Amino acid sequence: GLLFCTEHPFCHLIDTLRSEQYEERRYFNLQKLSDVRYEKLPFCMRVLLESAIRKCDGLYIKTDDVSSILDWQTQQNQAEVAFSPARVLLQDFTGIPAMVDLAAMRDALAKQGVDPNLVNPRCPTDLIVDHSLQIDYSKCAIQSPPTPTDERSSSSGHCAGQRPGHQGSCSKSSCSDAPSGRSAAVQIENTPLLCPFHLQPVSEPETMIRNQEMELIRNKERLQFFKWCSKAFKNINVVPPDINAVHQVNLEYLCQVVQEGEGFIYPDSVVGTDSHTTMINGLGILGWGVGGIESEAVMLGQPVSLTLPQVVGCKLVGTINPLATSIDIVLGITKHLRQAGIGGKFVEFFGPGVQQLSTPDRTTIANMCPEYNATVSFFPVDDVTLQHFKNTSTDHPKLVVLEDYLKAIKLFRSYGDQSDEPQYSEVIEMNLSSIVPHVSGPKRPQDRVAVTCMKEDFINCLNEKVGFKGFHISKEKQATQVPFLHKGAEYNLAHGSVVIAAVISCTNNCNPSVMLAAGLLAKKAVEAGLTVKPYIRTNLVPGSGTVTHYLNTSGVLPYLRKLGFEVVGYGCATCVGNTAPLPESVVDAIKQGDLVACGVLSGNRHLEGRLCDCVRANYLASPPLVVAYAIAGTVSINLETEPLGVNLEGKDVYLRDIWPSKEEVNHTEENIVIASMFKELRSRMEKGSTFWNRLESAESALFPWDPKSTYIRCPSFFSKLSKEVCTPQSIEGAYPLLFLGDKVTTDHISPAGSIARVSAAAKYLQSKRLTPREFNSYGARRGNDDVMTRGTFASIKLQNRLIGKTGPKTLHIPSGQMLDVFEAAERYQRDGVPLIILAGKEYGSGSSRDWAAKGPYLMGVRAVIAESFEKIHRNHLVGMGIAPLQFLPGQNADSLELYGKERFTINLPQELTPRQQLTVKTSTGKSFSVTALFENDMDVAFFRHGGILKYVARSLLL
């Protein structure tokens, strides 16, 4: 390990961190490089550099990698470097094949007389079981109770003791055994949760529990395997189901910012198989998503290979508009980056405006990388990040180490000193004051209106002809006011009067900060003596009980209640028109004056008349603006220059007087909401789930494979594993399994989604006496190579030129029969015939999937000849021992007049070298050259060994 590092090429950089508050820590002090280039590196590149220096061993990571990163200014977009992240993050769908492979490796080594306990992840790995939940129980597609003649009713029409429509709970024991097919009905919002057999209400918590129970029963085999892994393997942490989603666990529990291992401290970094991995960059932790085989490689001690990226500096300046919410800010920055054209690049935020963003803002922006095609969006650790960890951590000494270490190696961002600004590939500047809060309406969500222009826009809508925005109200009628009585008091309604105001925290308003802002605004409004007119239909519909909990904990719920925003329940209500009827006097006044009355809500639907048939103008607004417009009683108001109302002393009160500052909202969010969320997660992590704690699993070093299992099987990757590495064998007389065109994606290659009833995988499962209802999905069966191999190339959208039509079929060339792709491959393998695949441009594009390489390998594919490859998929092919061969520039199958039914011979020299040209000969006498896309010596080594799994296994045999 690194403890014995006198021969380490950078041992002269080793330094000691000392303080009276903690024990000494050793680290690689990059400032000892005394190289001016280091201080000009973007912070994310400094993380790469530290890792390369610390992990430099001359084999996987070389001094050339260090030199290239240090010389990033001239090497970006050119040099290929290796990166060893601090840890690996897996979710269960991608984790199951990785762990099955390690279990199979233990079996293979045990057969060779090697201690199987030597097989463990070399890189710390966290596996979160969170992708197994399916919805078996949901709201039923019935809005009224069934009649006794309804064929779905029980024989008595209703459960005993229940009246039609009674909101009690069904007590029939058979409800707990409801099958998926009958309970997964079409959902109609705001209907009671009904027992799928007896059509009686079932409580929402019970529905959640039933779904979780079904998840555990359906996936028991997989969970038992994970439980065995958690006990058998070192260096792996399994987070059981029903704890939290993978990205939440990563943010709230696993992230460390500074890690400790092998006697050193170093920056935290992560590669993960979940699309949300990029969220972690919002906390100053470098991380991004990779494919299954890449993650396995890192687990087994191999670095990630990447081309040094361009790093775009996003400079945030200006002051955030006081009325702008977190949602406005996040969407504004996302839109700005999308328009900047930064695909495939790293983004790093800097500038004085960054400190105005809370940690939830930052993680949300980082999570939206796919929206603007960046690889990562990195926020270096600063005072805001540090305060976040102080609010959520109980380990004070560790926080002191974190701060001292990051400052020692210049990874702590200070915005006071502009002299040490990094140099970026390019800088795009965004003025935060340009982010203007908007509402949407009055008829369509895509019609956005700046809050400052709301009054002017509403008047224009009155003038315009009836259409997407217009109401065509004549000039002389626009000043109409209609008096009416409500509960003994007289009020006036006019065009623009608000009659419905609903604060809803679902979909686009689930961010705690916007709900807290609404609550804090309500608090200040009540304290200022403002009220909401009693005829306005107000309600508060939280997206979950969690929202109610943090509104109550922060002390703002009573103030919302005082303004009429009472919690009415949890579910879809106002958005879908399920608002309680307006008072008759209000409806009569609207009709009498032909008024354009308004509804304001923070949901996501607001088409004309949707909230109520007499409410023609409906606006979507942030939760605090909903409260503000409710207090004002009209949308025809300039919130900057006109008062919302008057206080008890008769003094005008403006929105600016009661609008909570971003600092107030952030403080409440960090100190109350997030702190309590972290505390709850830690508690759940410590307790675990009852099911998981009681789940039995083997105690052995080797996994006891069940030959009857259709979920977990020992894969054949290690069959015929020998200590010696065979010299590369030329591919003699191979037939093309498939002849494909351009842009064949991993969706075409790799199994995904449900298992079709007529597929090869379905035939296999039916042979195991499973019914289609029990097939589950390819994702759930990723631990069974028999299922996954049969699903390879099973896409109905596959276009194979050998058969001339779309579908998962191919031509078995010797017999001329058209077969399922798997059946043809099986017949070729039985006859000892090697296989290749012919393809066009961008073979393997799309999302990264390990079985897009594993499946073809188990089918007997030795090489893929294509015009070009998607980079990650090329890595996967090499990792499985399949040769990625590229036609020479300007050549392809058509230009070489290949028709796909020839036999191909590819000569592989004993001494393969990176990017070597190889000769391909066909049975028709043609000969052409291809480039073997082995990018470096490690690629060649993996191919020679038959893939990375055998490479690692052999390293343990020696």
Side-chain angles (χ1 to χ4, degrees), residues 467-511:
F468 290 133
K469 293 196 70 170
F471 297 102
H472 202 211
I473 305 296
S474 61
K475 293 278 187 182
E476 60 273 14
K477 291 185 177 181
Q478 289 182 16
T480 299
Q481 291 204 6
V482 180
F484 70 98
L485 289 175
H486 178 73
K487 294 184 177 181
E490 183 174 307
Y491 301 93
N492 289 314
L493 283 185
H495 293 292
S497 289
V498 173
V499 293
I500 296 175
V503 173
I504 301 167
S505 70
C506 64
T507 58
N508 57 328
N509 284 303
C510 58
N511 189 319

Side-chain angles (χ1 to χ4, degrees), residues 337-352:
L337 291 173
R338 188 187 299 121
Q339 294 171 342
I342 53 175
K345 301 174 183 177
F346 282 24
V347 176
E348 183 169 295
F349 289 87
F350 73 108

Side-chain angles (χ1 to χ4, degrees), residues 33 35-49 63-81 286 306-314 344-348 350 376 421-427:
L33 288 168
D35 194 317
V36 293
R37 292 175 297 175
Y38 174 66
E39 295 186 0
K40 293 301 179 183
L41 283 178
F43 281 67
C44 54
M45 290 298 103
R46 298 181 195 185
V47 176
L48 288 183
L49 180 63
T63 54
D64 286 347
D65 292 314
V66 174
S67 299
S68 294
I69 299 172
L70 200 54
D71 200 26
W72 169 80
Q73 285 290 347
T74 59
Q75 294 295 318
Q76 56 184 291
N77 257 6
Q78 297 180 31
E80 193 88 6
V81 298
L286 187 63
L306 75 155
T307 303
L308 274 178
Q310 290 182 287
V311 181
V312 177
C314 183
K345 301 174 183 177
F346 282 24
V347 176
E348 183 169 295
F350 73 108
V376 300
E421 289 291 355
Q423 291 180 353
Y424 296 103
S425 307
E426 61 176 300
V427 172

Side-chain angles (χ1 to χ4, degrees), residues 879-900:
M880 288 309 302
I882 298 175
L885 308 178
Q886 186 174 35
F887 289 111
L888 297 184
Q891 295 185 352
N892 55 36
D894 291 331
S895 68
L896 294 169
E897 298 182 342
L898 304 177
Y899 64 100

